[in-house]
C-alpha cells in the first residue's frame, strides 16, 4: 500500500494505491474531501467496479452459472499498481487475477487516473477489454465531501445546486438495497435543493436518464464551494441515514443496483456497459473547489 501526492500552488491531493482511492483534496489548508471517520463511514471516494450498488440476493447469473458479489464490487478493496506518474497526473492499474475470476470471470484492464489543475481534480476511469469475448461491467464514483465545511455549522443550512431547474425524478432504494417500482419527485427552487435532515432517510437519491450533469454543494453564505461535473447517465446523492453525518456524496455512475423485480442475467442488468474485444471505455468526473 502506497500513498501518492499531487500538488501545485493552489491544490494538493492524496491517493491511496489500495482501491486507487482519492483520500484528500486540500486548498489553502482546508480539507474538502471527507476524512473517512469510521464512526460515520470509513471511506473517502471509492471507485465502484465492476458493480455499482447491490445485486438481487447478492448474486448474478452468467452463462448458466451463479456468482456472488458484494455491493459496489471488489476494486475498491484491491491493491493497484502505479503505471504513470508526473507532476500533475498519476495513473493506477488493476487487472484480473485468480481472486477476481472467482467472482467476475472476465479478463479486464481497469486504469484509474487523477489529474490536477489550478483548482480542479479530474478522476478518469478507463476500462479495456483484452479478451476475445465481450466484457460486461459497471463503474462509478463515490466521492464524499465535507458538509458542513466549517465546524459548528448545521448541514441543514447548506444546499445542493443542480444544473437544471426541472424537478428531479429519483428512483427509490428499498429492501436489500434494490430499486422499487415507485419514484420520488424532488422539486427544486431555481435548481436548489435543501439538505433537509431527513433527505437520506430512505437511502440515496438515484437520479437517472441524464437529468443533470453538474451538482454543487452551497454553503450558508451562498457560495458553491465544491462542484462535481460528469457525463454519466445517472448519479447518486447520499449520506449516512439517521447519523447526521458531516458529509455528502455526489456519485456519478455508469451502472446501478438491481431492481426488486429483476430476474435477468449479468448481461441484462440495467445501465450495464459492454465492451467488444479490444475496445476501451472512458468515463469519470471533475471536481472544482473554491
Amino acid at each position: 500500500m502506497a500513498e501518492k501526492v499531487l500538488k501545485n500552488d493552489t491544490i494538493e491531493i492524496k491517493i491511496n494505491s489500495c482501491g486507487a482511492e482519492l483520500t484528500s483534496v486540500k486548498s489553502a489548508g482546508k480539507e474538502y474531501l471527507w476524512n473517512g471517520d469510521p464512526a460515520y463511514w470509513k471511506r473517502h471516494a471509492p471507485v465502484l467496479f465492476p458493480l455499482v450498488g447491490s445485486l438481487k440476493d447478492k448474486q448474478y447469473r452468467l452463462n448458466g452459472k451463479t456468482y456472488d458479489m458484494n455491493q459496489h464490487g471488489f476494486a475498491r478493496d484491491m491493491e493497484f499498481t502505479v503505471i504513470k506518474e508526473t507532476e500533475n497526473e498519476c495513473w493506477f492499474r488493476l487487472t484480473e487475477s485468480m481472486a477476481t475470476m472467482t467472482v467476475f470471470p472476465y479478463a479486464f484492464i481497469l486504469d484509474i487516473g487523477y489529474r490536477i489543475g489550478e483548482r480542479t481534480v479530474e478522476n478518469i476511469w478507463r476500462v479495456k477489454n483484452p479478451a476475445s469475448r465481450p466484457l460486461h461491467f459497471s463503474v462509478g464514483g463515490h466521492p464524499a465531501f465535507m458538509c458542513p465545511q466549517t465546524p459548528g455549522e448545521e448541514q441543514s443550512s447548506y444546499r445542493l445546486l443542480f444544473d437544471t431547474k426541472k424537478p428531479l425524478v429519483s428512483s427509490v432504494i428499498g429492501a436489500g438495497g434494490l430499486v422499487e417500482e415507485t419514484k420520488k419527485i424532488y422539486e427544486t427552487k431555481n435548481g436548489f435543493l435543501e439538505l433537509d435532515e431527513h433527505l437520506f432517510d430512505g437511502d440515496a437519491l438515484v437520479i437517472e436518464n441524464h437529468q443533470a450533469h453538474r451538482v454543487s454543494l452551497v454553503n450558508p453564505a451562498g457560495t458553491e464551494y465544491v462542484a462535481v461535473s460528469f457525463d454519466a447517465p445517472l448519479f447518486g446523492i447520499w449520506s449516512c441515514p439517521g447519523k447526521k453525518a458531516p458529509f455528502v456524496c455526489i456519485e456519478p455512475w455508469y451502472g446501478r443496483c438491481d431492481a426488486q423485480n429483476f430476474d435477468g442475467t449479468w448481461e441484462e442488468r440495467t445501465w450495464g456497459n459492454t465492451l467488444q474485444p479490444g475496445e476501451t471505455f472512458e468515463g469519470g468526473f471533475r471536481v472544482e473547489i473554491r
Side-chain angles (χ1 to χ4, degrees), residues 34 36 63 81 96 104 127 137 180 197 212 221 278:
W34 169 239
N63 297 329
T81 300
E96 80 279 359
F104 186 64
V127 183
F137 68 96
E180 299 179 353
E197 64 176 324

Side-chain angles (χ1 to χ4, degrees), residues 128-187:
K128 302 176 185 178
N129 181 5
S132 57
R133 64 187 181 105
L135 168 62
H136 303 276
F137 68 96
S138 296
V139 65
H142 203 317
F145 302 98
M146 300 297 292
C147 185
Q149 189 185 29
T150 302
E153 293 181 336
E154 294 292 330
Q155 188 181 88
S156 57
S157 65
Y158 282 65
R159 295 177 293 171
L160 290 159
L161 176 61
F162 302 88
D163 63 346
T164 178
K165 296 181 181 180
K166 296 180 181 179
L168 296 168
V169 180
S170 174
S171 296
V172 176
I173 304 294
L178 306 177
V179 166
E180 299 179 353
E181 291 187 23
T182 57
K183 302 287 186 181
K184 187 169 183 178
I185 297 177
Y186 293 89
E187 298 286 347

Side-chain angles (χ1 to χ4, degrees), residues 47 49-51 69-78 94 99-100 103-104 108:
V47 177
F49 176 89
L51 173 66
M69 190 182 295
N70 290 327
Q71 183 185 43
H72 295 326
F74 51 75
R76 61 182 181 167
D77 295 314
M78 301 199 76
L94 180 70
T100 68
V103 295
F104 186 64
F108 67 88

